[in-house]
Amino acid sequence: MTLLLALVLAHRARCAAYRDFLAEADGARARAARELQLYLDVFDSIRRLHGLSDRVTPEAFAEIAQKGMLHQQRVLGAYGFAQILPEADRAAAERQGSPIVESDGRGGYVPAPSRPAYFLLTYQTPPSGLGVPTGYDFGSDPAAHGALSGMFRHAIFTVAPTPDPGAFLLFAPTLYLADPAAPAPVPSGFAVALFSPARLLAPVARSEER
């Protein structure tokens, strides 16, 4: 009888521990889902902001991004904006801003060769936070080019790998109606963020340690 009672009590203890484990796991999963949803909501908000950038001067837009978007910076970390630049506009763009470059495959950057169009990074915060210089052509990287093609084709968020296996580039399209009579918006550029799952889930991990 004593042995049977001990077995019953041990079973109850294991069941209680398992229920506690499931409750903690469900709580952690819910917190992780909230962190991810917040990240995506904030990223979508800067994507929509980028859609308004052609209505203000570049200087005014940079000031808005630097001084008025502290919450977005805290949530996203590194992010930026890019535009689709036709080859015909390259010379004028380089006179006004940074040279258009691509990776040389050895950790440096070289002038990008002529292409029909460039997926040009025009702004990022913090400086160099995305791991590439302003003026970088995302279209020069096959993986990023494939992700961007899918993004514009389906008007969805897409991701591309980075040299850091723990981080990804997250892309979201900027669309606008070039003509009120047009059947659908056309792409003008995109928002980009450096998405790190470890950074995103760090608050969840800290709450689990307490």
Side-chain angles (χ1 to χ4, degrees):
M1 181 64 71
T2 302
L3 177 60
L4 179 60
L5 179 59
L7 290 174
V8 170
L9 292 176
H11 175 70
R12 287 181 177 177
R14 286 195 297 271
C15 289
Y18 183 63
R19 286 194 297 271
D20 290 343
F21 170 77
L22 290 180
E24 291 179 5
D26 286 343
R29 184 165 55 246
R31 287 190 291 274
R34 287 195 297 270
E35 292 292 336
L36 177 59
Q37 190 60 55
L38 173 63
Y39 187 97
L40 294 176
D41 287 345
V42 171
F43 186 56
D44 187 54
S45 75
I46 68 161
R47 176 192 68 84
R48 288 184 274 110
L49 173 67
H50 186 220
L52 303 175
S53 62
D54 60 343
R55 304 181 190 179
V56 298
T57 66
E59 294 77 13
F61 181 76
E63 184 173 0
I64 292 171
Q66 292 171 1
K67 298 181 180 179
M69 300 180 66
L70 298 179
H71 171 67
Q72 288 84 344
Q73 292 173 19
R74 283 194 296 269
V75 173
L76 297 177
Y79 70 90
F81 303 111
Q83 70 178 90
I84 301 174
L85 183 77
E87 165 62 24
D89 297 335
R90 174 173 181 168
E94 290 188 316
R95 283 195 299 271
Q96 297 173 5
S98 304
I100 299 175
V101 299
E102 67 179 27
S103 171
D104 64 4
R106 300 185 299 274
Y109 297 89
V110 295
S114 177
R115 297 187 176 98
Y118 307 92
F119 297 95
L120 180 65
L121 179 64
T122 56
Y123 173 84
Q124 62 177 318
T125 185
S128 301
L130 293 172
V132 294
T134 300
Y136 177 73
D137 176 23
F138 285 104
S140 65
D141 176 70
H145 188 277
L148 291 169
S149 297
M151 176 195 72
F152 285 125
R153 184 165 56 251
H154 302 294
I156 57 173
F157 291 11
T158 57
V159 297
T162 72
D164 178 359
F168 305 87
L169 290 173
L170 178 64
F171 300 121
T174 301
L175 308 173
Y176 76 102
L177 276 175
D179 181 347
V186 296
S188 62
F190 53 93
V192 54
L194 189 65
F195 178 67
S196 167
R199 180 183 180 276
L200 178 76
L201 297 177
V204 178
R206 286 195 295 269
S207 69
E208 291 300 301
E209 292 172 357
R210 292 197 291 269

